[in-house]
Amino acid sequence: MKLKELAERLNAKFTGNGELEVNGIKDLEHHTAVDPNSIYYVASKKYLNKHQKASDVKIALTIDSLASTFPNTIIVPEEGSKVKFIQVISLFEKKPSIQSSVSGKASIHPSAKIGKNVTIMDFVVIQENVIVGDNVVLYPNVVLEPNVEVGDDTVIKSGVVIYYNCKIGKRNLIHSNTVIGADGFGFYDYAGVRYKVPQIGNVIIGDDVEMGAHCTVDRAALESTTIGNFTKFDDHVHVGHNCRVGNYVYIAGATVLAGSVTIEDGCFLAGQSAVAEHLTMKKGSILLGLSGLTEDSKEKTAYFGIPARPALEMHRIHSSLPLLPELVKDHAKRKNSEK
């Protein structure tokens, strides 16, 4: 693709040789030498100073104040430049071509309702009364149990299992081997007998949700475990039964929500964090990585540590720790002198 064509697609202006061929987009951090026919995203002076190789870049996606640094540029507004970067990635993405079709090796119950332009690949299992919307793509070995609903334009990757009565919204992307609707962890011990509490609820997932590989979302005991619109999960996220996860939430890898947790809109949970049962993360709050929340958070407040405390408080605690040995020594001396 020529530089000027790429600029036109981005509705942006360019400088330099508009006939120059741009063969792809690359990252300065992962190459020892700069590719003269690839475009590089450089949108801050800090990034420019960090990577000395940036001076060798021949084609840059950049902002106006940095344009003179490079011989050939596509210039984008500083505010929202990352959106243009995302658009460039999309233009060079090489996805496998998928034609809507239904494999003869799939098992589809006669009572299932299948929408228009659906792709159902080998060994998919669709059981009684399932509803599959228009333009849905089901990769090999997906299992949809009875009464499952899958909304329009959703893509479900290989090996995903969606248990009975669960509902998936529109434009979802669910990556391989995720399980939605398994029984919640409900047991009760009495008089030497361990009783399993029936989990008769379901899972309801909103629109524009993405779940990484190997995620698990347990069904509710009585009502619904819910995931809001535009929420994004990394790989290996676990959501316990009866949880309520809001809209525009980010949950990074290996994070665990115990049962009956509420995550309000706009929260961010970093990797390997955990939230104890029946707690609420208030709107816009943040749980930093390797942290365990043991009390309700405050709105728009960052927490870290085990147990997690507000970040400013934890910073003060951590900065005091190096002083602790000397304080202990001084305390011991005073005790001895008092004897």
Side-chain angles (χ1 to χ4, degrees):
M1 187 185 307
K2 289 182 170 56
L3 180 67
K4 65 180 181 182
E5 293 171 355
L6 183 54
E8 286 173 6
R9 292 203 187 190
L10 297 174
N11 194 26
K13 62 181 181 180
F14 71 90
T15 63
N17 180 8
E19 298 299 317
L20 189 64
E21 286 290 337
V22 183
N23 296 333
I25 182 166
K26 289 190 176 178
D27 187 342
L28 282 172
E29 292 189 38
H30 298 288
H31 298 277
T32 55
V34 172
D35 182 349
N37 290 107
S38 290
I39 192 167
Y40 293 83
Y41 175 58
V42 183
S44 73
K45 196 167 185 179
K46 182 179 178 182
Y47 187 83
L48 187 64
N49 294 336
K50 180 181 176 183
H51 298 284
Q52 298 300 320
K53 292 175 291 184
S55 59
D56 299 326
V57 167
K58 304 302 182 196
I59 312 170
L61 178 71
T62 190
I63 57 178
D64 194 61
S65 61
L66 297 178
S68 61
T69 310
F70 309 102
N72 305 283
T73 68
I74 293 177
I75 302 172
V76 295
E78 186 168 357
E79 184 176 349
S81 66
K82 192 69 175 281
V83 174
K84 296 296 184 182
F85 169 61
I86 292 168
Q87 290 174 358
V88 173
I89 295 173
S90 299
L91 290 172
F92 286 106
E93 185 178 15
K94 296 177 181 178
K95 286 186 176 180
S97 178
I98 296 175
Q99 302 295 327
S100 58
S101 62
V102 177
S103 170
K105 297 178 182 178
S107 174
I108 303 173
H109 194 275
S111 64
K113 296 179 180 178
I114 309 298
K116 300 174 183 176
N117 302 315
V118 167
T119 300
I120 300 175
M121 299 186 189
D122 293 352
F123 310 116
V124 168
V125 177
I126 299 176
Q127 298 181 346
E128 298 94 326
N129 302 314
V130 167
I131 298 174
V132 176
D134 297 342
N135 308 309
V136 167
V137 179
L138 304 177
Y139 276 75
N141 299 305
V142 166
V143 177
L144 306 180
E145 292 190 354
N147 305 309
V148 163
E149 296 181 16
V150 178
D152 296 347
D153 302 295
T154 286
V155 176
I156 302 179
K157 295 284 190 169
S158 300
V160 171
V161 179
I162 303 177
Y163 282 46
Y164 59 96
N165 300 336
C166 294
K167 298 181 180 181
I168 313 298
K170 298 177 180 178
R171 297 177 300 280
N172 278 214
L173 174 57
I174 302 174
H175 286 277
S176 294
N177 299 314
T178 284
V179 177
I180 297 169
D183 284 355
F185 193 60
F187 299 91
Y188 179 70
D189 292 353
Y190 180 73
V193 178
R194 178 159 289 176
Y195 295 90
K196 178 177 173 64
V197 180
Q199 307 288 296
I200 65 172
N202 69 345
V203 176
I204 299 176
I205 296 175
D207 298 334
D208 301 287
V209 171
E210 182 166 342
M211 292 186 179
H214 296 276
C215 293
T216 50
V217 182
D218 286 348
R219 68 194 314 107
L222 299 177
E223 305 293 340
S224 298
T225 301
T226 59
I227 311 295
N229 300 329
F230 293 99
T231 284
K232 310 296 182 184
F233 288 9
D234 196 357
D235 299 338
H236 296 280
V237 170
H238 174 69
V239 177
H241 63 176
N242 308 316
C243 286
R244 305 283 189 271
V245 179
N247 302 316
Y248 292 95
V249 172
Y250 280 117
I251 304 182
T255 292
V256 176
L257 306 184
S260 301
V261 164
T262 298
I263 308 294
E264 294 185 350
D265 295 350
C267 288
F268 187 103
L269 290 82
Q272 295 186 321
S273 57
V275 182
E277 68 274 6
H278 299 283
L279 295 184
T280 297
M281 281 188 69
K282 299 293 181 64
K283 288 183 179 179
S285 58
I286 298 169
L287 184 59
L288 299 179
L290 294 168
S291 298
L293 192 68
T294 57
E295 61 182 24
D296 292 351
S297 75
K298 297 177 181 178
E299 285 191 10
K300 299 180 180 179
T301 302
Y303 289 76
F304 79 91
I306 301 174
R309 298 184 182 186
L312 291 177
E313 181 183 343
M314 287 300 290
H315 283 310
R316 289 194 293 270
I317 291 171
H318 283 189
S319 64
S320 302
L321 287 177
L323 305 175
L324 191 57
E326 291 302 320
L327 290 172
V328 171
K329 280 184 184 178
D330 291 343
H331 178 72
K333 286 179 182 177
R334 284 197 300 270
K335 283 287 187 183
N336 291 331
S337 65
E338 291 171 1
K339 290 179 180 179

